[in-house]
Amino acid sequence: MADTSSIKGDLRLSNITKTYGDFTAVNDLSLTIPEGSFFALLGPSGCGKTTTLRMVAGLEEPTKGTISLGNTDITYTKPYQRPINTVFQNYALFPHLSIFENIAFGLRRRGIKDVKPQVEKALELVELSHLAGRKPTQLSGGQQQRIALARAIVNRPALLLLDEPLGALDLKLRRQMQIELKWIQKEVGLTFVHVTHDQEEAMTMADTIAVMNEGEIEQLGSPADLYDNPKTAFVANFLGQSNLIKGTISGNDGDNHIVDLFGQKISLAKNRSHAVDNSILAGIRPEKFRISRLETATSGNLLTGGKIEDVSYIGVSTQYQVLMPWGQELMVFEQNDDAVAPFSVGENVNISWESGFTFALRGDEDAEAGMEVEPEEIIDEDE
Amino acid sequence: MKMSKSGISSPRTPYLLLLPGIGFLFTFFIWPIANLAQTSTQTPVAGGDTGSYEQTLRWRNYIDAFVENKEQFGRSFLYASLATILALAIAYPLAYAIAFKAGKLKNVLLVLVVAPFFTSFLLRTIAWKQILGEQGFVVPTLRSLHIIAPSTTLTSSAFAVVAGMTYNFLPFMTLPLYASIDRIDPRTLEASGDLYANGFTTFRKVTFPLSLPGVVAGTLLTFIPAAGDYVNAAILGSPETKMIGNVIDSRFFKIVDYPTAAALSFTLMAAILVLVTVYIRKAGTEELV
Amino acid sequence: MRKVSRWFQRNLIRIYAGVAFTYLLIPIAYTVAFSFNDGGKSNLIWKGFTFNNWLNPCGAPEVCTALGNSIKIGFLATTFATILGTMIAFAIGRHKFRGRSATNLLIFLPMATPEIVLGASLLSLFLTLKINPGFWPTVIAHVMFCISFVVVTVKARIASLDPRLEQAAMDLYANEVETFRRVTFPLVAPGIAGAALLAFSLSFDDFIITNFNSGTMTTFPKFVYVSAARGIPPQANVIGSSMFLIALVIVILGQIVGRKRAVK
């Protein structure tokens, strides 16, 4: 086997396209993942994220384009010749080998004689030293997940790929493992590339997220960037929830646009607009809104003429549906942290927010893109 | 069928279900075997007709039978082993291809594997005899190309017997192999590649161990009938390729020597059972490297 | 050049499979081809194409008597073996009882015993009991070696059933008998049908055990074996080919029906 352990550096995908017959799974995708980062590929089922991961792992060959690690082209390198390891979706632990032998597998293949110290260290890292002698089927889902992680990490790869690693776990265990994974990544200092359809999971763990849709990257950035200033309706809706209101840019005020939303004027920072002309979709996250009774004074942007349609109390916050004069229902999340009496259905109210929170998308976008997808319900992947 | 309210049937139900079938097997399998054991130590009635024997508990029948036919015994086990190894070598890649590479053709290919079952195995064996025989097209072609000497024949030889057995038992080898290879999660193979194992190592360390149940089942389904077979030897062989089955057959029908035939049958069965037990132990507990 | 070798590497196993299939199917093709041979009685050398053998499949002496016996024996043996074997399979697959592992061993043993021993032992019993070999002893012999295969096939089907289906049926007010009739049995039925087909093909194709227990009665395999010495008549090829085609049609129909059901 060629010695590839010295290959290091950023992972670079250049103009990668992968087609299966008429179907294009990945379309001209270019991407650089810096060494040492925790990178997430986020998207709904069928968006091409798993295909991308499999090409990086060497399990698929791209139809077009190149993949390189540092300065080495690895596009056509066999999986076993890449310093890249994968935590597989359903773990793919070898059922005929003990936990110890599962973890030792990669070390032995690379001709390392004394595997014991490294395997034991990996087991310690995932806190399962006492299970070394068992077979995979004797372990719980969460334990299998950790062993799959240990089996990959023990090889100290230049790049660790995680394919929906937590998909088979229940919610509580998943949250716990998210924190642990993040901690382990810091501890071992490896580059992690994480594929998931769970936006919360991606935001919790990753430094950088690439949101994928239909084989292309919609937007790339830090979790806060993506959330606060989404570029497309798909990102705005897939990452959390957004209120998107049709409007027109009607004037200028220094660094801000003056925007007309169905006859009411609001202000929008110019550097938060991704529109290409005067027609826009103004976006505001539901928790940024404040509801006020008609007589109350407000600051920032203001929309009047709302009427409470629905109230759901969910503990830390209350969610309101507010019907606006132009027929659109806006969603508002109010923290239950002040003395203002809760609003009741049928009350007439105004809505206000700090103008800095407004973002704007192209006016010709589908305001519902990315909404049909219910990320939590998708279990099967896009294979 | 009477069952109790709890959804678990009454304790008598399983016995009622078993009784007819198990009774049948006791009468027509266990009893004949016991009877055969009994026959195996008989000796001819002094001055009696051909075929009349009496029980004298002559255990030497076994030793005589074995010593007289040890060559045929050896040949049976040698041919059966060769046929089993050849069938495994041919069937494994075939089963692997059907399980992992066939895609939509999977069902069609499985039908093709069992297709030989649909024609009489005797007809197929005779077809081989004729294809490879003096009047077939293979031998003259090979002779004219000087691949074989003018005097060499393909039939009436050990080669033909082993080839015939390999052919006849190939589906028995392929099906269990396919069943257990098909059950392997392809992701474990990908994981192996991901963990620095090349194609050959992946096969040795992951694919083969995981398909072991199929290998064991297939080799048993091939070896057992092959060791007792005499049809291939009779059709494709010569007097020099006689197997133990041919001897038992002729002892029964031509020589009417029931005790020897019985002793030979018993020795064959015992030898196979011992071999099979050792083999299962070995394959079941130790990691095959 | 690199592309060619990559293509070859990737398709090596497919090429191999193609060769293996050719090997498997050559004698069948040969048998079918020679059913059209105008070869007279011996049918050893290709002499010319004719439909005569197919138009007159009973043309060779005794071939149809032998075929008739084989079919009769096959049907009787299949019926008995399927009934007895299915009962045993349900007992093992759906009940807990003492002696289960002994039962499993008793089922396994006939499959692990060489045919020649099965045939010889049964014949020696018939001889001891002064029963002449013939039609019924052959049927009994066939039932005996088919039972195990039926049990194994049906048991596998029962084991693959989700027990929750039966629990759901009972939850929906079906009593035990109704549950068996409306849920368990219909779900196991394809397995039983498969087992019956297997039993019939084993019985129809059996030579060794039959040869021991059939006396002077002839069956199709016996007919083929006996006439092999002087060359089998083309009518035997006709019968062999038709059995092949019939079996193929049954299997294909089974697959189509199975797929339609799966779609629904």
Side-chain angles (χ1 to χ4, degrees):
Chain A
M1 199 194 82
D3 183 31
T4 52
S5 52
S6 56
I7 301 176
K8 269 190 159 58
D10 300 350
L11 175 76
R12 203 166 291 114
L13 308 184
S14 314
N15 306 98
I16 291 290
T17 296
K18 176 72 185 177
T19 55
Y20 299 97
D22 299 338
F23 176 69
T24 304
V26 176
N27 189 12
D28 195 31
L29 180 136
S30 294
L31 184 64
T32 301
I33 297 174
E35 192 179 353
S37 65
F38 198 133
F39 192 95
L41 279 171
L42 172 68
S45 176
C47 73
K49 57 189 191 295
T50 291
T51 309
T52 307
L53 193 81
R54 288 173 65 84
M55 288 189 286
V56 174
L59 301 169
E60 307 265 358
E61 281 180 9
T63 318
K64 260 189 263 162
T66 57
I67 302 171
S68 54
L69 191 59
N71 296 319
T72 317
D73 184 340
I74 56 165
T75 316
Y76 297 105
T77 314
K78 302 258 185 212
Y80 54 86
Q81 291 165 338
R82 300 181 186 207
I84 297 176
N85 291 115
T86 309
V87 176
F88 285 80
Q89 195 176 4
N90 286 52
Y91 319 136
L93 297 177
F94 304 121
H96 59 301
L97 300 179
S98 68
I99 296 308
F100 185 95
E101 284 304 323
N102 260 282
I103 296 175
F105 194 93
L107 298 174
R108 290 198 197 281
R109 297 292 83 72
R110 290 186 302 157
I112 293 164
K113 292 266 150 45
D114 187 18
V115 297
K116 209 165 172 227
Q118 296 190 56
V119 173
E120 279 172 355
K121 232 176 108 197
L123 274 166
E124 262 165 47
L125 186 71
V126 296
E127 293 170 354
L128 289 176
S129 306
H130 57 293
L131 298 178
R134 302 245 186 118
K135 288 277 173 76
T137 45
Q138 297 168 303
L139 266 54
S140 72
Q143 291 169 335
Q144 291 187 19
Q145 205 285 324
R146 286 160 194 239
I147 296 305
L149 182 67
R151 185 177 72 172
I153 277 180
V154 75
N155 301 294
R156 297 278 154 172
L159 197 63
L160 184 79
L161 309 177
L162 302 117
D163 184 6
E164 299 274 0
L166 310 176
L169 305 181
D170 65 50
L171 193 65
K172 213 171 156 191
L173 203 52
R174 210 185 307 169
R175 297 287 172 253
Q176 185 193 331
M177 279 307 294
Q178 285 169 9
I179 296 163
E180 262 180 60
L181 266 177
K182 177 89 190 158
W183 176 82
I184 286 172
Q185 194 258 342
K186 283 218 178 93
E187 185 79 9
V188 296
L190 303 174
T191 315
F192 277 33
V193 179
H194 177 198
V195 152
T196 181
H197 62 256
D198 182 344
Q199 45 107 2
E200 205 177 322
E201 191 172 300
M203 305 234 292
T204 313
M205 296 198 277
D207 321 321
T208 312
I209 299 176
V211 180
M212 280 190 77
N213 185 30
E214 294 178 348
E216 295 177 24
I217 291 182
E218 290 261 336
Q219 190 175 354
L220 187 144
S222 72
D225 272 353
L226 295 183
Y227 188 82
D228 288 338
N229 193 7
K231 242 192 240 173
T232 64
F234 182 88
V235 177
N237 290 320
F238 192 76
L239 249 80
Q241 288 164 301
S242 293
N243 293 293
L244 298 178
I245 309 165
K246 271 202 171 304
T248 350
I249 295 174
S250 61
N252 259 314
D253 174 19
D255 287 341
N256 295 326
H257 291 301
I258 306 294
V259 177
D260 183 317
L261 301 179
F262 297 96
Q264 307 198 36
K265 298 271 192 273
I266 64 153
S267 107
L268 159 73
K270 281 181 179 163
N271 59 6
R272 289 172 62 84
S273 171
H274 305 287
V276 287
D277 52 22
N278 283 342
S279 144
I280 65 157
L281 279 174
I284 307 98
R285 296 285 186 182
E287 74 281 2
K288 305 291 195 288
F289 278 146
R290 290 185 303 265
I291 304 184
S292 54
R293 301 210 156 78
L294 300 184
E295 64 277 9
T296 320
T298 61
S299 64
N301 287 326
L302 178 71
L303 290 173
T304 58
K307 193 176 143 201
I308 305 280
E309 281 281 292
D310 188 56
V311 181
S312 320
Y313 179 79
I314 54 166
V316 290
S317 67
T318 305
Q319 303 192 355
Y320 296 95
Q321 300 278 351
V322 181
L323 181 66
M324 299 314 287
W326 57 90
Q328 186 177 6
E329 276 186 4
L330 298 182
M331 198 180 314
V332 182
F333 299 165
E334 285 276 19
Q335 291 284 309
N336 295 325
D337 61 351
D338 48 27
V340 178
F343 301 90
S344 40
V345 174
E347 242 184 291
N348 290 314
V349 294
N350 294 331
I351 286 181
S352 61
W353 69 97
E354 292 306 323
S355 40
F357 289 135
T358 321
F359 57 86
L361 313 172
R362 291 164 55 139
D364 55 357
E365 276 219 72
D366 173 11
E368 292 186 356
M371 267 200 324
E372 300 291 302
V373 196
E374 269 294 327
E376 291 284 339
E377 283 177 16
I378 299 158
I379 293 157
D380 272 276
E381 235 324 71
D382 43 330
E383 286 178 88
Chain B
M1 199 182 308
K2 196 178 167 290
M3 296 188 193
S4 74
K5 280 247 164 88
S6 66
I8 300 155
S9 48
S10 91
R12 269 191 325 193
T13 315
Y15 296 107
L16 291 175
L17 285 170
L18 287 173
L19 189 66
I22 298 301
F24 188 95
L25 285 180
F26 261 97
T27 317
F28 296 110
F29 174 65
I30 299 290
W31 189 15
I33 297 279
N35 187 62
L36 191 73
Q38 210 250 104
T39 310
S40 67
T41 52
Q42 289 178 344
T43 47
V45 177
D49 297 333
T50 330
S52 62
Y53 292 91
E54 60 185 357
Q55 182 58 272
T56 55
L57 285 179
R58 188 173 181 274
W59 297 100
R60 267 202 71 88
N61 279 357
Y62 278 90
I63 297 165
D64 292 349
F66 183 75
V67 169
E68 223 174 294
N69 299 292
K70 54 180 186 299
E71 243 177 74
Q72 286 85 343
F73 261 113
R75 217 174 273 143
S76 285
F77 284 96
L78 176 68
Y79 289 1
S81 309
L82 285 175
T84 306
I85 291 165
L86 281 173
L88 182 63
I90 296 170
Y92 202 104
L94 185 61
Y96 188 90
I98 299 173
F100 285 139
K101 308 278 172 183
K104 283 179 189 158
L105 285 176
K106 214 175 201 175
N107 283 332
V108 178
L109 295 186
L110 279 177
V111 171
L112 285 183
V113 170
V114 294
F117 285 148
F118 304 158
T119 39
S120 158
F121 90 100
L122 283 167
L123 276 176
R124 282 181 282 124
T125 311
I126 290 166
W128 274 125
K129 181 191 163 106
Q130 297 185 358
I131 292 169
L132 300 176
E134 291 301 299
Q135 286 159 317
F137 62 91
V138 178
V139 168
T141 314
L142 292 179
R143 278 188 193 144
S144 66
L145 292 171
H146 299 287
I147 294 173
I148 58 172
S151 59
T152 311
T153 55
L154 292 179
T155 52
S156 306
S157 64
F159 161 79
V161 178
V162 173
M165 294 204 298
T166 307
Y167 173 79
N168 272 316
F169 298 114
L170 200 51
F172 292 100
M173 183 66 92
T174 311
L175 289 180
L177 277 177
Y178 163 77
S180 75
I181 294 175
D182 192 46
R183 233 176 284 146
I184 298 175
D185 181 352
R187 273 180 295 218
T188 56
L189 307 185
E190 289 181 353
S192 169
D194 185 63
L195 294 164
Y196 313 106
N198 60 24
F200 179 68
T201 314
T202 298
F203 176 78
R204 211 163 51 97
K205 291 286 178 185
V206 183
T207 319
F208 189 75
L210 285 175
S211 65
L212 210 51
V215 174
V216 172
T219 44
L220 288 182
L221 281 175
T222 305
F223 182 81
I224 294 170
D229 180 71
Y230 67 89
V231 176
N232 285 291
I235 294 177
L236 296 165
S238 65
E240 280 77 53
T241 63
K242 259 194 191 157
M243 296 171 66
I244 200 64
N246 305 72
V247 179
I248 297 174
D249 181 60
S250 74
R251 287 281 163 176
F252 247 103
F253 292 115
K254 292 194 187 120
I255 307 172
V256 204
D257 178 4
Y258 300 138
T260 306
L264 286 174
S265 302
F266 244 84
T267 314
L268 175 66
M269 195 163 108
I272 288 178
L273 277 179
V274 168
L275 270 178
V276 165
T277 316
V278 170
Y279 175 68
I280 292 178
R281 281 269 165 79
K282 195 118 189 157
T285 54
E286 281 169 42
E287 198 193 348
L288 294 174
V289 181
Chain C
M1 203 51 218
R2 192 173 150 218
K3 264 199 170 164
V4 172
S5 85
R6 273 231 318 256
W7 178 90
F8 192 77
Q9 236 180 23
R10 216 176 290 169
N11 289 287
L12 184 64
I13 195 152
R14 291 193 181 86
I15 297 165
Y16 182 95
V19 174
F21 274 119
T22 315
Y23 173 56
L24 268 175
L25 301 176
I26 276 181
I28 298 172
Y30 179 91
T31 303
V32 175
F34 272 69
S35 72
F36 295 104
N37 186 17
D38 197 1
K41 273 181 194 162
S42 77
N43 202 17
L44 273 172
I45 311 163
W46 184 258
K47 286 191 183 139
F49 185 87
T50 177
F51 274 119
N52 284 345
N53 309 320
W54 281 83
L55 295 174
N56 190 12
C58 292
E62 281 220 43
V63 66
C64 278
T65 323
L67 177 66
N69 284 337
S70 275
I71 292 176
K72 266 187 266 176
I73 292 166
F75 269 112
L76 286 166
T78 301
T79 311
F80 289 124
T82 306
I83 293 171
L84 297 176
T86 303
M87 286 166 71
I88 296 175
F90 268 102
I92 298 175
R94 271 292 180 264
H95 296 277
K96 286 213 160 70
F97 56 91
R98 285 168 61 105
R100 221 173 109 168
S101 47
T103 311
N104 274 321
L105 183 68
L106 182 63
I107 299 302
F108 172 73
L109 272 180
M111 293 191 288
T113 309
E115 277 192 73
I116 191 152
V117 178
L118 291 178
S121 66
L122 205 51
L123 174 63
S124 81
L125 176 73
F126 287 135
L127 291 175
T128 310
L129 298 178
K130 309 267 182 268
I131 296 170
N132 282 327
F135 184 82
W136 285 105
T138 309
V139 172
I140 287 173
H142 284 204
V143 173
M144 187 264 292
F145 74 77
C146 286
I147 285 182
S148 298
F149 288 94
V150 173
V151 174
V152 170
T153 313
V154 177
K155 205 172 78 177
R157 180 81 192 181
I158 293 173
S160 72
L161 274 193
D162 186 347
R164 281 174 300 189
L165 293 173
E166 284 164 311
Q167 290 159 9
M170 296 212 194
D171 180 61
L172 296 165
Y173 315 109
N175 63 26
E176 290 80 1
V177 177
E178 282 172 324
T179 300
F180 180 81
R181 242 189 46 189
R182 306 220 167 261
V183 178
T184 318
F185 188 77
L187 287 172
V188 179
I192 299 175
L197 276 177
L198 178 65
F200 185 84
S201 70
L202 286 173
S203 160
F204 188 85
D205 206 19
D206 178 74
F207 170 72
I208 297 179
I209 296 174
T210 310
N211 197 32
F212 274 92
N213 292 290
S214 55
T216 54
M217 180 195 61
T218 151
T219 65
F220 184 64
K222 256 179 98 177
F223 173 84
V224 172
Y225 186 79
V226 171
S227 36
R230 53 187 147 80
I232 49 168
Q235 280 80 5
N237 289 43
V238 171
I239 289 165
S241 307
S242 358
M243 292 305 293
F244 176 73
L245 290 177
I246 291 168
L248 206 60
V249 168
I250 291 175
V251 168
I252 291 169
L253 281 182
Q255 291 229 348
I256 292 172
V257 170
R259 199 167 299 167
K260 271 197 179 154
R261 277 205 191 146
V263 170
K264 276 175 193 170

Short mmCIF file of all heavy atoms in Angstrom, two decimals, chain C residues 2 5 72 75 79 81 110 126 153 160 166 188 198 213 232-233 249 258:
data_model
loop_
_atom_site.label_atom_id
_atom_site.label_comp_id
_atom_site.label_asym_id
_atom_site.label_seq_id
_atom_site.Cartn_x
_atom_site.Cartn_y
_atom_site.Cartn_z
N ARG C 2 -5.41 2.38 -20.09
CA ARG C 2 -5.80 2.34 -18.69
C ARG C 2 -7.31 2.13 -18.57
O ARG C 2 -7.78 1.40 -17.72
CB ARG C 2 -5.39 3.65 -18.03
CG ARG C 2 -5.50 3.58 -16.52
CD ARG C 2 -4.95 4.82 -15.85
NE ARG C 2 -5.66 5.02 -14.61
CZ ARG C 2 -6.01 6.22 -14.16
NH1 ARG C 2 -5.72 7.29 -14.82
NH2 ARG C 2 -6.65 6.33 -13.03
N SER C 5 -8.19 -1.54 -19.17
CA SER C 5 -7.88 -2.42 -18.05
C SER C 5 -8.82 -2.14 -16.87
O SER C 5 -9.20 -3.03 -16.15
CB SER C 5 -6.41 -2.29 -17.63
OG SER C 5 -6.25 -1.23 -16.74
N LYS C 72 -47.10 -40.07 -11.48
CA LYS C 72 -47.97 -40.58 -10.41
C LYS C 72 -47.23 -40.60 -9.08
O LYS C 72 -47.73 -40.11 -8.06
CB LYS C 72 -48.44 -42.00 -10.76
CG LYS C 72 -49.79 -42.02 -11.49
CD LYS C 72 -50.27 -43.45 -11.65
CE LYS C 72 -49.83 -43.98 -13.01
NZ LYS C 72 -50.15 -45.39 -13.26
N PHE C 75 -46.68 -37.03 -7.75
CA PHE C 75 -47.84 -36.38 -7.14
C PHE C 75 -48.15 -36.96 -5.77
O PHE C 75 -48.38 -36.23 -4.80
CB PHE C 75 -49.07 -36.52 -8.05
CG PHE C 75 -49.20 -35.36 -8.99
CD1 PHE C 75 -49.02 -35.52 -10.35
CD2 PHE C 75 -49.49 -34.08 -8.50
CE1 PHE C 75 -49.11 -34.45 -11.22
CE2 PHE C 75 -49.59 -33.01 -9.36
CZ PHE C 75 -49.41 -33.18 -10.73
N THR C 79 -47.75 -34.88 -2.28
CA THR C 79 -48.91 -34.62 -1.42
C THR C 79 -48.62 -35.05 0.02
O THR C 79 -48.76 -34.26 0.96
CB THR C 79 -50.14 -35.38 -1.95
OG1 THR C 79 -50.26 -35.12 -3.34
CG2 THR C 79 -51.40 -34.95 -1.22
N ALA C 81 -45.74 -35.86 1.51
CA ALA C 81 -44.58 -35.20 2.12
C ALA C 81 -44.91 -33.77 2.50
O ALA C 81 -44.49 -33.27 3.55
CB ALA C 81 -43.38 -35.24 1.17
N PRO C 110 -31.85 -37.45 7.57
CA PRO C 110 -32.05 -37.98 6.21
C PRO C 110 -31.34 -37.15 5.15
O PRO C 110 -30.90 -37.68 4.13
CB PRO C 110 -33.57 -37.92 6.01
CG PRO C 110 -34.13 -37.89 7.37
CD PRO C 110 -33.13 -37.17 8.23
N PHE C 126 -37.73 -53.72 3.46
CA PHE C 126 -38.81 -54.33 2.69
C PHE C 126 -38.54 -55.81 2.48
O PHE C 126 -39.44 -56.64 2.56
CB PHE C 126 -38.97 -53.61 1.34
CG PHE C 126 -39.59 -52.24 1.46
CD1 PHE C 126 -39.07 -51.15 0.76
CD2 PHE C 126 -40.70 -52.03 2.27
CE1 PHE C 126 -39.63 -49.90 0.87
CE2 PHE C 126 -41.27 -50.77 2.38
CZ PHE C 126 -40.74 -49.69 1.69
N THR C 153 -37.94 -25.94 4.20
CA THR C 153 -38.45 -24.81 3.39
C THR C 153 -39.57 -24.07 4.11
O THR C 153 -39.57 -22.84 4.19
CB THR C 153 -38.97 -25.34 2.04
OG1 THR C 153 -38.01 -26.23 1.50
CG2 THR C 153 -39.22 -24.21 1.08
N SER C 160 -39.63 -16.34 9.00
CA SER C 160 -39.53 -14.98 8.47
C SER C 160 -40.80 -14.17 8.71
O SER C 160 -40.85 -12.99 8.40
CB SER C 160 -39.21 -15.02 6.98
OG SER C 160 -40.35 -15.44 6.27
N GLU C 166 -49.58 -11.80 13.68
CA GLU C 166 -50.56 -12.65 14.35
C GLU C 166 -51.12 -11.96 15.59
O GLU C 166 -52.31 -12.07 15.88
CB GLU C 166 -49.90 -13.99 14.73
CG GLU C 166 -49.74 -14.89 13.51
CD GLU C 166 -48.78 -16.02 13.75
OE1 GLU C 166 -47.67 -15.75 14.25
OE2 GLU C 166 -49.12 -17.17 13.43
N VAL C 188 -47.93 -18.12 4.96
CA VAL C 188 -46.98 -19.22 4.82
C VAL C 188 -47.18 -19.97 3.50
O VAL C 188 -46.29 -20.64 3.01
CB VAL C 188 -47.11 -20.18 6.04
CG1 VAL C 188 -46.17 -21.36 5.92
CG2 VAL C 188 -46.83 -19.43 7.32
N LEU C 198 -40.51 -28.19 -4.84
CA LEU C 198 -39.20 -28.79 -4.57
C LEU C 198 -39.35 -30.30 -4.42
O LEU C 198 -38.60 -31.09 -5.01
CB LEU C 198 -38.59 -28.17 -3.31
CG LEU C 198 -37.25 -28.73 -2.86
CD1 LEU C 198 -36.18 -28.43 -3.89
CD2 LEU C 198 -36.86 -28.16 -1.50
N ASN C 213 -35.76 -49.41 -4.77
CA ASN C 213 -37.05 -49.80 -4.23
C ASN C 213 -38.16 -50.02 -5.25
O ASN C 213 -39.29 -50.29 -4.88
CB ASN C 213 -37.51 -48.75 -3.20
CG ASN C 213 -36.62 -48.78 -1.97
OD1 ASN C 213 -36.67 -49.72 -1.20
ND2 ASN C 213 -35.79 -47.75 -1.82
N ILE C 232 -29.87 -42.94 -25.69
CA ILE C 232 -31.27 -42.72 -25.31
C ILE C 232 -32.05 -42.21 -26.50
O ILE C 232 -31.53 -41.45 -27.31
CB ILE C 232 -31.39 -41.73 -24.14
CG1 ILE C 232 -30.57 -40.47 -24.43
CG2 ILE C 232 -30.97 -42.36 -22.85
CD1 ILE C 232 -30.87 -39.36 -23.47
N PRO C 233 -33.29 -42.65 -26.66
CA PRO C 233 -34.09 -42.20 -27.80
C PRO C 233 -34.42 -40.71 -27.69
O PRO C 233 -34.51 -40.18 -26.58
CB PRO C 233 -35.37 -43.03 -27.69
CG PRO C 233 -35.44 -43.44 -26.26
CD PRO C 233 -34.02 -43.56 -25.79
N VAL C 249 -41.82 -22.06 -16.87
CA VAL C 249 -43.05 -21.26 -16.91
C VAL C 249 -43.61 -21.11 -15.50
O VAL C 249 -44.01 -20.01 -15.10
CB VAL C 249 -44.08 -21.93 -17.86
CG1 VAL C 249 -45.45 -21.29 -17.68
CG2 VAL C 249 -43.61 -21.80 -19.30
N GLY C 258 -45.89 -13.03 -7.61
CA GLY C 258 -45.27 -12.49 -6.39
C GLY C 258 -45.04 -11.00 -6.51
O GLY C 258 -45.32 -10.24 -5.58
#
